[in-house]
Amino acid sequence: GATAMIPLATEPLSALYESDETAWLDAMARLIRERRFDELDLPNLGEYLTDMARRDRREVKSRLAVLMAHLLKWEHQPTRRSSSWRATIVTQRQELADLVGGGVLRQHALAVLPDAYANALEQASAETSLERETFPTNCPFSLDNILITGLRDD
């Protein structure tokens, strides 16, 4: 491929990790493709992969909270509903569904649902000026509910 012409950086890979993460990633990928495993920057590679998994988990929880906050507002402020609001909910739902299609992130989403709902309550209350007591204390949504169910217009 086109990357075959790119020489590995002349600076040590650990320094490259600090100075240019994308170049470092390209170098790691190239070494793996070329099966040059003994040259991999293993300490930073391990750290990077752990950070990626942590980032994915944070994104799932954050998207869950945003989506549930919007669903709460939709339920409790029917007169404020708009097509752009509906579009935001649909987009968040699609992004979340893509993230938690299966595997460990789906399990993570199930595990953090109550914490994400607590964040959603805080967001919905702040964004609507409605008291937190207006909304259900415990999460009224199941994960499948959140990912699949259409919006109620009643």
Side-chain angles (χ1 to χ4, degrees):
T3 56
M5 299 302 293
I6 302 168
L8 283 176
T10 52
E11 64 182 303
L13 288 173
S14 58
L16 187 60
Y17 177 73
E18 300 298 330
S19 66
D20 187 342
E21 193 173 271
T22 302
W24 175 84
L25 281 168
D26 286 339
M28 290 298 99
R30 179 171 168 209
L31 289 171
I32 290 168
R33 278 193 306 275
E34 294 174 4
R35 308 185 87 61
R36 292 160 57 188
F37 305 127
D38 56 328
E39 296 175 52
L40 289 171
D41 178 9
L42 292 176
N44 285 322
L45 188 56
E47 180 182 315
Y48 182 83
L49 293 173
T50 298
D51 288 348
M52 294 290 288
R54 192 177 297 125
R55 185 209 63 200
D56 289 348
R57 286 184 175 97
R58 260 195 324 266
E59 184 179 353
V60 165
K61 184 177 177 183
S62 173
R63 285 191 183 278
L64 269 173
V66 168
L67 179 52
M68 287 190 288
H70 277 80
L71 292 173
L72 287 172
K73 293 187 316 185
W74 184 269
E75 290 280 321
H76 292 272
Q77 292 192 311
T79 59
R80 309 283 290 275
R81 293 173 183 168
S82 68
S83 57
S84 70
W85 200 357
R86 180 188 296 270
T88 299
I89 291 172
V90 168
T91 300
Q92 285 294 328
R93 179 174 273 143
Q94 289 169 343
E95 294 287 333
L96 189 60
D98 286 348
L99 269 171
V100 301
V104 73
L105 285 180
R106 182 176 176 81
Q107 294 309 310
H108 178 69
L110 289 167
V112 300
L113 195 59
D115 286 343
Y117 182 70
N119 292 349
L121 269 181
E122 197 172 330
Q123 289 175 32
S125 178
E127 292 170 13
T128 61
S129 302
L130 295 172
E131 296 296 322
R132 285 176 73 132
E133 295 71 35
T134 309
F135 306 105
T137 307
N138 295 315
C139 184
F141 310 108
S142 71
L143 184 59
D144 287 336
N145 222 204
I146 292 167
L147 295 176
I148 298 161
T149 310
L151 295 172
R152 296 204 309 250
D153 287 317
D154 54 0

